[in-house]
Amino acid sequence: MVKLLGPLTSAARALRVVALGLTVAGIGPLVASYAQALGRPTPAYLLTLGTLLLIKVPLVVALGRLGTGGVWAALASGELATAAVALLLLRRLRGNTPKAP
C-alpha cells in the first residue's frame, strides 16, 4: 500500500498558492492586446517579455532556493506583480487615447 498523504498535502498547498496568481493572470495579456489594438506594439512587447525577464524569472530564481513552496509563491507573486504593472500601463494608455466625438 502506497502512502500518498504527503504528495496530496503538498499538491493541495501548491494549488492554493497558484490559484491566487491565476485570478489575475489574464490581465497582462489583455492589456498587451489592448496596446496592440491601439497600434502601440512597444508597450505590449515590453509588458509581455519585460515582466517575464524582469519580474517572474528573478522571483523564481530567488524564491526557488526555499524549495518547491518558494517556486509556487514566486509564480503567484510574479502574476500579481505583472497584473500591477499591466494596470499601470493601462492607465497610461487610456490617458493618451484620443476620445471619440
Side-chain angles (χ1 to χ4, degrees):
M1 182 155 163
V2 178
K3 189 173 184 180
L4 292 176
L5 187 58
L8 288 178
T9 305
S10 177
R13 231 179 274 135
L15 284 173
R16 282 189 205 107
V17 173
V18 170
L20 294 173
L22 289 178
T23 58
V24 296
I27 294 174
L30 186 65
V31 173
S33 297
Y34 179 68
Q36 285 278 359
L38 291 176
R40 307 271 313 269
T42 304
Y45 181 73
L46 290 175
L47 180 63
T48 303
L49 288 179
T51 56
L52 179 66
L53 295 175
L54 298 175
I55 295 175
K56 293 177 184 179
V57 171
L59 277 173
V60 170
V61 170
L63 295 178
R65 296 178 183 173
L66 302 175
T68 55
V71 172
W72 298 122
L75 292 173
S77 58
E79 290 296 340
L80 291 170
T82 298
V85 169
L87 290 173
L88 289 173
L89 176 63
L90 178 64
R91 188 176 200 185
R92 187 173 210 197
L93 287 171
R94 291 189 58 139
N96 294 333
T97 305
K99 307 293 183 227

